[in-house]
Amino acid sequence: MSGQILLISGPSGSGKSTLLSRLMSEFDNIYFSISSTTRSPRDGEKDGVDYHFISVDEFKKGIDNGKFLEWANVHKNYYGTSLEPVEKALKDNKVVIFDIDVQGYYLAMKEYNDIITSVFITTKDRHELKRRLIKRGSDDAQTIENRLFNAATEIAHIGEYDYLIINDDIDNAYERLKSIFISMSSKSQSFNINEVIESWSE
């Protein structure tokens, strides 16, 4: 067996974090790729758990030194995925989970196309997403409008993902995500094909 990548994209407020938390509490062969960001922590967020919170200068040095698999400037803040821990987790035959936007999806596909299973998670429509963002209470009105605009842009790319989950019921959405995760271990890319073939020629 070899490492695989489960790549998750979708609008902020679609329930990605809740679904991934449930998945990681049920399965232990997972490495969740923690993004680095230059934005300030929200209430309850911890450095090294939710994000690696770093300065703009430190982030830009990482870009210059090729230390990010992908990075983007979103809402005037930098976000990026560090390469080193990802490579180690893959060598340890873990499933690496990326929670990244569509721009990051394209960059990740260039690097790891053969081992990525991609899932787009969203609400049933724009109105439901807006309701959830307002209820969350962590963004001002302008930020919410920006998130809705970005979500509408990203929705146009859902056909490029392997799977689409419309999260209108958290339990049903989780069962779909769990099924996708379990099926990854049976992908032919998960095996050393030469060893399998050789075992039949002995």
Side-chain angles (χ1 to χ4, degrees):
M1 302 283 287
S2 61
Q4 292 280 317
I5 293 172
L6 176 61
L7 188 153
I8 306 292
S9 295
S12 178
S14 61
K16 292 176 298 177
S17 297
T18 301
L19 292 169
L20 290 175
S21 292
R22 286 180 64 170
L23 190 70
M24 289 185 287
S25 69
E26 186 169 352
F27 298 93
D28 56 11
N29 190 38
I30 291 175
Y31 168 74
F32 181 74
S33 177
I34 301 172
S35 296
S36 298
T37 183
T38 59
R39 76 161 170 78
S40 300
R42 294 180 184 141
D43 289 344
E45 289 184 333
K46 295 181 180 179
D47 183 42
V49 176
D50 300 285
Y51 286 94
H52 297 296
F53 295 100
I54 63 176
S55 68
V56 173
D57 286 343
E58 188 178 351
F59 199 105
K60 288 182 175 179
K61 283 182 181 177
I63 294 172
D64 292 340
N65 294 328
K67 290 188 176 181
F68 290 109
L69 167 66
E70 55 82 28
W71 64 271
N73 192 319
V74 182
H75 308 308
K76 299 181 180 179
N77 292 303
Y78 286 98
Y79 293 81
T81 304
S82 180
L83 273 170
E84 194 172 326
V86 169
E87 292 289 346
K88 183 182 184 303
L90 290 172
K91 287 178 182 176
D92 291 340
N93 297 325
K94 292 184 178 293
V95 175
V96 175
I97 294 181
F98 289 157
D99 178 1
I100 55 181
D101 63 13
V102 170
Q103 182 180 348
Y105 161 81
Y106 288 121
L107 294 170
M109 288 296 287
K110 286 182 181 178
E111 187 78 19
Y112 296 114
N113 178 60
D114 292 341
I115 58 171
I116 286 178
T117 298
S118 58
V119 183
F120 196 97
I121 299 173
T122 186
T123 54
K124 63 181 180 179
D125 56 35
R126 182 183 190 277
H127 303 293
E128 173 61 16
L129 182 61
K130 184 174 184 178
R131 186 190 69 79
R132 292 186 190 182
L133 290 171
I134 293 171
K135 184 179 179 181
R136 189 166 68 178
S138 59
D139 299 317
D140 59 29
Q142 184 57 55
T143 301
I144 288 174
E145 287 305 312
N146 289 342
R147 292 192 186 283
L148 291 171
F149 176 81
N150 286 344
T153 302
E154 291 195 330
I155 287 292
H157 298 272
I158 59 177
E160 299 168 48
Y161 283 71
D162 296 319
Y163 297 96
L164 169 64
I165 295 176
I166 297 176
N167 182 17
D168 53 0
D169 178 275
I170 195 69
D171 292 326
N172 288 339
Y174 177 67
E175 287 304 314
R176 294 188 192 112
L177 181 62
K178 179 180 173 180
S179 296
I180 293 167
F181 178 82
I182 292 172
S183 73
M184 290 173 65
S185 64
S186 296
K187 291 179 71 175
S188 58
Q189 295 95 326
S190 299
F191 295 85
N192 185 323
I193 298 301
N194 289 332
E195 285 185 1
V196 175
I197 294 172
E198 285 175 8
S199 70
W200 277 83
S201 60
E202 293 176 352

